Amino acid sequence: MTPESIRVLSSLRSEFYTQFASAMQVPVKISGSSYNSISFVASWLNDREQLNYLNIYAYTAPDELAVKRPFILRVAINKGAGNMGFAKQAQAFRGVNQKWQLELTVLPDQLLDFLPWIVNLVQAHAKGEASFMQEPPHPVTLELSNWLQTDMIWSTQAEQKLELQTLEDLAEPPITSFNEQKSPPVKAAFWLS
């Protein structure tokens, strides 16, 4: 990741976790280290005293070798870091919630817009509501009609941005192989002594 992407992710993650913790109606613990996107999580206990956790990380991001790669974030709920050390440091609980997992993929400028929607979705799931009817703040792509039954949601813009970049990558001329280069061959001599 580029230094700018790291800075943006760190700032967004910190703001999201802080607002998420204040919006939830249960205590939320933020743990981990900011430089390690997998271990930096917000965790809370549900009514059944099961540990739930939320992790925000870069799904794709530009770096020195791929400067045109899109910057896309993923919000993972109860997925990806389940067996990490943070669980051992949390308060007493009766296992990690493995009955509900969700990955929401968004653009960085959409992340905070999704915050109230994510809080409401988590609370609806914790209450065992059969359906969740709140519209997300940005158009999304999902295969099921029930938000509580799906485990993968993409914002339409994030999905389109990734698809567009993939098409652009495919349209670029192929790298000339070593044998097809126009420069004259180099002769080498090896001396044995």
Side-chain angles (χ1 to χ4, degrees):
M1 287 177 59
T2 63
E4 177 63 14
S5 298
I6 293 169
R7 186 194 63 74
V8 169
L9 176 58
S10 178
S11 174
L12 283 172
R13 183 188 289 135
S14 177
E15 187 172 351
F16 188 97
Y17 286 169
T18 301
Q19 290 183 27
F20 180 80
S22 66
M24 289 288 289
Q25 298 173 353
V26 296
V28 175
K29 180 178 180 180
I30 301 170
S31 61
S33 55
S34 61
Y35 67 88
N36 184 343
S37 64
I38 301 219
S39 68
F40 197 54
V41 299
S43 60
W44 66 96
L45 297 179
N46 62 19
D47 292 344
R48 295 176 296 281
E49 295 183 10
Q50 293 175 314
L51 183 70
N52 292 265
Y53 55 93
L54 182 144
N55 180 26
I56 299 170
Y57 62 93
Y59 179 70
T60 65
D63 62 29
E64 291 177 7
L65 299 175
V67 293
K68 292 194 293 184
R69 183 182 299 148
F71 191 23
I72 298 174
L73 302 179
R74 180 162 279 171
V75 179
I77 300 174
N78 296 336
K79 197 164 188 172
N83 296 322
M84 298 294 291
F86 80 89
K88 295 176 185 172
Q89 298 173 357
Q91 59 195 36
F93 62 93
R94 295 183 180 173
V96 175
N97 184 356
Q98 297 178 350
K99 292 186 177 184
W100 182 55
Q101 297 180 346
L102 175 70
E103 289 180 328
L104 170 65
T105 309
V106 299
L107 297 176
D109 62 349
Q110 297 175 325
L111 179 66
L112 295 176
D113 295 345
F114 272 97
L115 176 69
W117 186 81
I118 291 170
V119 169
N120 289 333
L121 183 65
V122 167
Q123 291 172 345
H125 190 274
K127 293 175 186 173
E129 295 179 5
S131 64
F132 178 75
M133 301 303 292
Q134 182 181 354
E135 287 293 316
H138 298 277
V140 297
T141 303
L142 84 147
E143 295 177 13
L144 299 172
S145 60
N146 187 339
W147 304 110
L148 298 177
Q149 293 178 354
T150 189
D151 66 349
M152 180 68 68
I153 302 172
W154 281 73
S155 81
T156 304
Q157 289 178 318
E159 187 175 44
Q160 289 171 347
K161 192 167 191 174
L162 186 62
E163 287 174 358
L164 180 62
Q165 184 59 46
T166 302
L167 290 173
E168 287 176 6
D169 289 347
L170 291 173
E172 288 183 8
I175 297 173
T176 306
S177 72
F178 184 72
N179 294 332
E180 295 174 5
Q181 292 180 352
K182 303 289 185 206
S183 60
V186 176
K187 294 184 181 179
F190 295 95
W191 300 92
L192 298 174
S193 49

